[in-house]
Amino acid sequence: MTEPSEPSFSTEVQPADAPGALGQAAGLLAQGHLVALPTETVYGLAADARSPDAVARIFEAKGRPADNPLIVHVDSVGMARDCVAAWPSAAEKIAEQFWPGPLSLVLPKAVTVPDIVTAGGATVAVRCPAHPVMRGVLAKCGFPLAAPSANRSNRLSPTRAEHVVDQLGGRIPLVLDGGACDLGIESTVLDLTGDTPTLLRPGMISLGQLQAVLGGVVSAKLSAGIGPLKSPGLLPRHYSPRAKLVVCGDLTAALGQAGEATHVIARKSSPNAWPSERWHRLPDDPDGFARELYDTLHRCDRLGAETILVQALPSAPDWAALHDRLNRAAGT
Ligand code: AMP
Ligand code: MG
């Protein structure tokens, strides 16, 4: 585990639409510094992907284990192809359908991608993001950006600039504030290096959507246990709030046993007796729920929650990525 560095910056938070903000970000990145900025999934912590020294700063600022690889963000298929050693027809089809968007492709890495980016591995994850701020910065840079989520390692991903400041304030020079992220959970990760396309991390682009484009795609859960762990995003406990999170099939029964510092996240209104400041109602559709989930978990942590009870989600396939994140947040 890389020990987090001591705070040594006064972190500037710039509205992303302020004059010169994108240029300032690109200037810092070109000099090897880190910039946190919004993407459509969550806020990213970007560095020049070509520079081992710049990328090392990501691992230091986050306290990220060196064996957890980063996703390289590109502004085009052309830039993606510069980062990989092979661009199979499956990659072309997927990129045509889902890029720019919340989908990362794992492919054999080009020799030009520094080993630190891929945690020493022979594969690299590439994604072409859709968010105008990330795209604007990529266009000004003209080089790919390694960017994991802009949180301390093992903590919740940020979906607002203030979440980044809470966790990385003093450790990075600049945060571009582009408001709340549209999607709210991390990208779908699809591995195209094996015989069968394999879903390593579910996301808002679903297994079904990938299967519709490629035919057979398997979920990594089915191949778990065969060989080494393919993706650190598969670790059982990840994406966790500080509070203990419990998914409740029977919320009413759980409420009966709940203590003082218990908060609830549900898709319905609170019973009359329950204090409203400890009840967080989220939308009853996967897109709306994803958009607000992390912000709500951050808020529960800030309010001093010790336990967060979450009403169990529907079993329909379009909730799959949210099941995944809640199960990991709960460590189950
Ligand atoms: P983050 O950007 O913080 O959500 O983390 C990136 C995640 O993408 C990692 O934790 C992995 O799950 C996945 N990832 C990145 N690069 C690779 C790779 N080369 N092979 C498999 N998974 C990867
Ligand atoms: Mg992350």
Side-chain angles (χ1 to χ4, degrees):
M1 162 81 73
T2 314
E3 279 306 310
S5 55
E6 286 307 307
S8 56
F9 287 97
S10 104
T11 301
E12 185 180 351
V13 182
Q14 268 283 12
D17 58 2
L22 302 188
Q24 184 190 358
L28 283 165
L29 289 161
Q31 290 164 30
H33 291 293
L34 304 183
V35 175
L37 74 185
T39 81
E40 70 273 34
T41 57
V42 301
Y43 272 71
L45 180 62
D48 180 348
R50 303 166 307 174
S51 162
D53 290 345
V55 172
R57 295 195 171 107
I58 293 179
F59 285 88
E60 275 170 36
K62 290 189 53 132
R64 184 175 177 102
D67 63 358
N68 192 347
L70 307 178
I71 295 171
V72 175
H73 292 71
V74 297
D75 69 356
S76 61
V77 166
M79 193 184 274
R81 293 183 75 148
D82 289 341
C83 299
V84 301
W87 183 255
S89 66
E92 187 65 31
K93 284 187 199 156
I94 289 286
E96 238 169 56
Q97 194 70 31
F98 299 114
W99 278 5
L103 190 276
S104 303
L105 287 177
V106 174
L107 291 162
K109 92 173 188 68
V111 286
T112 49
V113 175
D115 288 338
I116 187 171
V117 171
T118 65
T123 63
V124 64
V126 285
R127 171 164 107 83
C128 180
H131 195 288
V133 172
M134 182 57 150
R135 293 190 68 73
V137 172
L138 276 166
K140 286 201 183 292
C141 286
F143 50 78
L145 293 171
S149 51
N151 50 280
R152 300 295 290 274
S153 188
N154 270 323
R155 300 266 302 276
L156 265 182
S157 295
T159 58
R160 294 177 178 273
E162 54 264 37
H163 304 158
V164 179
V165 175
D166 276 353
Q167 296 197 34
L168 296 177
R171 293 171 194 279
I172 57 175
L174 178 66
V175 181
L176 290 185
D177 184 351
C181 297
D182 258 5
L183 294 175
I185 65 168
E186 304 80 0
S187 61
T188 304
V189 180
L190 179 67
D191 183 0
L192 294 179
T193 61
D195 292 340
T196 310
T198 304
L199 182 68
L200 295 183
R201 179 170 72 184
M204 296 313 278
I205 293 178
S206 67
L207 183 61
Q209 284 175 286
L210 298 172
Q211 280 166 338
V213 176
L214 290 185
V217 179
V218 297
S219 164
K221 288 201 183 105
L222 299 176
S223 57
I226 312 168
L229 190 69
K230 279 296 281 267
S231 178
L234 294 172
L235 292 172
R237 189 172 161 83
H238 207 74
Y239 312 117
S240 307
R242 263 189 296 250
K244 177 179 159 62
L245 186 146
V246 184
V247 179
C248 301
D250 186 346
L251 187 58
T252 311
L255 291 179
Q257 323 235 315
E260 276 289 292
T262 299
H263 285 240
V264 179
I265 296 178
R267 293 168 286 106
K268 58 186 180 186
S269 51
S270 64
N272 287 338
W274 189 267
S276 58
E277 65 279 9
R278 289 193 283 117
W279 189 278
H280 309 273
R281 184 174 183 173
L282 262 52
D284 194 15
D285 66 279
D287 291 349
F289 192 94
R291 194 174 301 125
E292 294 182 27
L293 175 63
Y294 288 169
D295 189 37
T296 307
L297 293 174
H298 280 289
R299 190 158 353 114
C300 291
D301 272 348
R302 251 196 329 270
L303 292 170
E306 280 167 19
T307 304
I308 304 170
L309 304 178
V310 184
Q311 180 191 4
L313 302 175
S315 57
D318 48 354
W319 289 87
L322 289 158
H323 278 277
D324 172 81
R325 298 306 188 279
L326 279 187
N327 288 340
R328 282 173 220 241
T332 50

